[in-house]
């Protein structure tokens, strides 16, 4: 009738049911017509059992019909059970009939056994039932394996379907700018991924084959990619806001936005290998955002323009004076800078000099207004014989006049004579009020200052335009030429380190991310030994001048378990080709590439040693 072969106990190479084709001879049948069964088994699968029958073929029953698929007179039926699927093959001269039943689709497995023959019945999720006549000997073992495998596959697939749904939701949330919810949703899939991995590991430990063990890895990779993509989307959104605020000359908001962009880019770059498709592009965007934020923070011109505008908009002369004082100091710093025409804050020095004159006049006028107001209040208190209060107001007026005189002496000399006259008149008021407070004769009534001079003390509140010309000359850092002037990035500095330097940085980076590292002993195959809780990891380190190949990764992965390690990591500043990265994932070897290492250095504030020339 047929045959059942347990491939796990087969010791004579592959049986003919898997390798032979053709129509057979006079007294025997062949197996398949087109290809041997083994040619249809994928490399990632492990064959478990082979079931055959000569004439009966396969019976398929659905809700409204039943049909038979039978081999012709020169061929047989071959069913291969792997660790992923049932491959049902019915040999025919005109072309073999092929059907795949994924184990995740199997909802029930039954057997019926006669004296010599048996029948395997497999129910699928599409409500079809497949009946496969075969030998009775060994059929229970086949059914037991299929039940265990189907249960494990369904459980894992259910968990991963939930992961896929949540990651799709995370992507949609990211597209609408709900980045916190997107990250929370994406990271929340970790429990289901861990449960799927645990189930797959348990099944793979009990049964040969790695197909189920490999299945959660795609979900892990997608989760990493989704988390990284959310961080990148947030970073680009923040950078766009920064550019808009910069264009509006709202430099404080622009700096904050670019800082947020840098932080989000750093988060993306620290996602484990496979999370980002283009580390180099993301690193360039990150470095640009960081450079702009730093230049906004360090340049005096944004502060000058911001304070200048605040002063122009102020209704209170004291507030205006405070803002113009800041603006004046920052404009002077900008004018004295070594590179007043740098690519980010390019402006005409003559424009700044003109604005310094306007701001100095405005500051002088505002301080004089503050002084006049305080002196008027002092006069009122003096007339009311409240001399202590009068002296307090006069003191405030004196401070404002002295400040106005200092500014005028340096930048507005035409105002100095009038301000000196005002200050002398104030001093007479102070002397008279002090005498009255002391019970002495205050003397003649307060003396007014001389008549107003012929010049006009300009730039009073509400009469000064903002620093439009200077602000209009500022443009965001967007050109390639500007990018070429950025300082050397952390990734570029890491690339210039030798092996000892890279090892030091890798050790610092792991220590900063909850690992505890130490140099491996000479008897160990590793460069570093890292521990975190009960987990032990061997770390290999290579510099940028080392070629990273699949063979290198294979050698590293091959010593997993040495010195009691649970995992191995290859940390490198060399370029990691995509095929090598994919091979490392297949071999369960962790990679810490140059960009990820640079991101840890940046976010943790680590020091990169000086390269050895």
């Amino acid at each position: 009738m047929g045959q059942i072969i347990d491939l796990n106990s087969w010791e004579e190479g592959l049986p003919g049911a898997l390798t032979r084709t053709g129509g057979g001879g006079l007294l025997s049948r062949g197996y398949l017509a087109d290809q041997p069964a083994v040619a249809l088994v994928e490399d990632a699968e492990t064959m478990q059992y082979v079931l055959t029958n000569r004439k009966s073929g396969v019976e398929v029953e659905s809700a409204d019909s039943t049909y038979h698929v039978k081999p012709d007179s020169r061929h047989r039926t071959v069913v291969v059970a792997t660790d992923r699927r049932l491959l049902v093959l019915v040999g025919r001269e005109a072309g073999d009939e092929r059907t795949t039943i994924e184990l995740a689709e199997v909802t029930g497995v039954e057997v019926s056994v006669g004296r010599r023959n048996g029948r395997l019945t497999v129910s699928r999720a599409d409500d079809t039932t497949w009946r496969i006549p075969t030998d009775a000997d060994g059929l229970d073992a086949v059914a037991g394996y299929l039940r265990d495998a189907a249960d494990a596959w369904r459980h894992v697939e259910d968990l991963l379907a939930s992961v896929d749904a949540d990651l799709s939701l995370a992507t949609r949330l990211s597209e609408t700018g709900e980045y916190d919810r997107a990250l929370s949703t994406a990271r929340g899939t970790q429990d289901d991924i861990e449960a799927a991995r645990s189930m797959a590991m348990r099944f793979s430990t009990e049964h040969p084959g790695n197909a189920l063990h490999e299945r959660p890895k795609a979900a892990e990779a997608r989760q990493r990619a989704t988390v990284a993509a959310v961080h990148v989307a947030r970073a680009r959104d923040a950078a766009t806001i920064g550019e808009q605020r910069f264009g509006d000359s709202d430099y404080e908001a622009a700096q904050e936005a670019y800082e947020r962009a840098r932080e989000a880019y750093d988060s993306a770059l620290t996602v484990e290998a496979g999370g980002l498709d283009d580390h180099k592009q993301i690193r360039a965007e990150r470095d640009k955002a960081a450079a702009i934020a730093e230049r906004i923070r360090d340049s005096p011109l944004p502060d000058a323009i911001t304070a200048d505008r605040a002063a122009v908009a102020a209704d209170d002369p004291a507030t205006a004076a405070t803002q113009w004082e800041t603006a004046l100091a920052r404009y002077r710093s900008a004018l004295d800078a070594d590179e007043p025409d740098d690519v980010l804050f390019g402006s005409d020095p003559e424009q700044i000099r003109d604005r310094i004159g306007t701001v100095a006049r405005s500051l002088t006028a505002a301080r004089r207004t503050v002084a006049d107001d305080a002196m008027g209040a002092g006069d009122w208190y003096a007339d009311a014989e409240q001399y202590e209060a009068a002296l307090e107001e006069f003191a405030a007026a004196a401070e404002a006049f002295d400040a106005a005189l200092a500014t005028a002496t340096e930048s507005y000399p035409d105002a100095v004579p009038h301000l000196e006259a005002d200050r002398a008149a104030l001093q007479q008021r102070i002397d008279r009020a002090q005498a009255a407070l002391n019970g002495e004769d205050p003397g003649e009534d307060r003396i007014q200052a001389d008549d107003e001079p012929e010049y006009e003390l300009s730039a009073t509140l509400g009469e000064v335009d903002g620093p439009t010309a200077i602000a209009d000359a500022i443009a965001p850092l967007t050109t390639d030429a500007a990018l070429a002037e950025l300082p050397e990035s952390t990734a570029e500095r890491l690339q210039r380190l030798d092996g000892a330097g890279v090892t030091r940085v890798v050790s610092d980076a792991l220590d900063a991310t909850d690992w505890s590292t130490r140099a491996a002993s000479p008897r160990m195959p590793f460069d570093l030994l890292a521990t975190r809780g009960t987990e032990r990891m061997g770390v290999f380190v290579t510099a940028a001048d080392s070629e990273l190949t699949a063979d290198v990764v294979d050698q590293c992965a091959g010593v997993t378990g040495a010195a009691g390690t649970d995992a191995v990591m290859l940390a490198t500043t060399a370029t990691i080709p995509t095929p090598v990265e994919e091979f490392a994932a297949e071999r369960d070897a962790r990679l810490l590439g140059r960009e990820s290492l640079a991101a840890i250095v940046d976010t943790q504030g680590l020091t990169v040693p000086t390269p050895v020339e």
Side-chain angles (χ1 to χ4, degrees), residues 159 189-199 220:
L159 289 168
T189 62
Q190 190 61 39
D191 287 345
D192 282 347
I193 291 175
E194 291 292 345
R197 184 191 293 129
S198 177
M199 170 61 76
E220 293 178 78

Side-chain angles (χ1 to χ4, degrees), residues 564-583:
T565 54
D566 307 293
V568 295
M569 170 183 281
L570 177 57
T572 182
T573 55
T575 300
I576 305 176
T578 300
V580 173
E581 188 173 300
E582 294 172 349
F583 181 72

Side-chain angles (χ1 to χ4, degrees), residues 178-190:
E178 298 181 74
Y179 301 118
D180 287 336
R181 285 188 61 198
L183 287 172
S184 177
T185 300
R187 289 168 175 157
T189 62
Q190 190 61 39

Side-chain angles (χ1 to χ4, degrees), residues 375-427:
M375 189 165 63
D379 286 343
W380 187 89
Y381 283 119
D383 289 343
E385 297 183 358
Q386 299 182 38
Y387 299 115
E388 289 186 0
L391 286 169
E392 290 180 4
E393 293 294 342
F394 290 150
E399 182 179 357
F401 274 131
D402 290 343
L405 267 168
T407 301
T409 299
E410 183 176 8
S411 305
Y412 192 11
D414 287 347
V416 170
H418 184 64
L419 289 169
E420 287 177 341
D422 283 342
R423 183 66 176 85
L426 173 63
Q427 188 59 52

